[in-house]
Amino acid sequence: MNTNIELSLLNAEEKELLNYIWNLIPAEDKQTMTQNDVLSVLDLMDDYLLEHGLLEENEQTGETTYLDGEIDENEQLEYLINALKEQGVNLSAVQVQLIMDAELQYGIEQGYYQEEE
């Protein structure tokens, strides 16, 4: 993955998600991270889902399908932290969790996810 993702290549929905998440990140955390860091986490979240059979990518159409299933949030967090370190992205576990929580909240608001009872 290219960790220097060109923001202008994002579609409208991806930009909306990025802005939503970025606006929820506390100012002190924004001082040590970039929007590209957020995109790296989001991309790695998809990689995690792909590896666990919860995401399908159609190579011909480029469409992505998210499948129903349970996610071990602790395992996912550990996966993300390790993958980010491998990429040289220095985010704390708290910062990664902030991004994960914001993505979840966005998904709930958009109707992609349902809140657990």
Side-chain angles (χ1 to χ4, degrees):
M1 183 194 87
N2 181 357
T3 58
N4 218 2
I5 299 165
E6 181 63 45
L7 297 176
S8 65
L9 298 177
L10 300 177
N11 67 35
E13 186 177 337
E14 292 166 331
K15 287 178 184 177
E16 182 180 326
L17 171 60
L18 176 61
N19 288 329
Y20 181 93
I21 292 171
W22 190 249
N23 288 331
L24 291 179
I25 295 173
E28 60 270 12
D29 288 303
K30 287 180 184 177
Q31 293 175 5
T32 60
M33 61 193 302
T34 67
Q35 288 185 332
N36 278 325
D37 293 337
V38 174
L39 290 174
S40 293
V41 172
L42 294 175
D43 190 49
L44 289 167
M45 287 174 73
D46 280 353
D47 290 350
Y48 175 86
L49 295 175
L50 192 60
E51 285 184 21
H52 287 81
L54 299 172
L55 177 74
E56 290 180 350
E57 293 179 331
N58 185 319
E59 292 180 21
Q60 294 175 336
T61 64
E63 291 184 27
T64 301
T65 304
Y66 293 89
L67 307 172
D68 289 335
E70 295 294 318
I71 297 172
D72 181 329
E73 291 180 24
N74 292 325
E75 179 183 286
Q76 184 183 32
L77 178 62
E78 185 177 323
Y79 173 92
L80 295 171
I81 291 168
N82 291 332
L84 289 165
K85 283 181 184 176
E86 287 177 18
Q87 294 179 359
V89 178
N90 296 316
L91 295 179
S92 70
V94 171
Q95 289 171 320
V96 174
Q97 188 68 58
L98 284 169
I99 295 168
M100 291 173 62
D101 291 346
E103 188 276 339
L104 177 62
Q105 186 60 43
Y106 177 85
I108 290 170
E109 288 182 16
Q110 296 299 312
Y112 303 141
Y113 309 131
Q114 294 179 354
E115 286 189 82
E116 292 183 3
E117 301 294 320

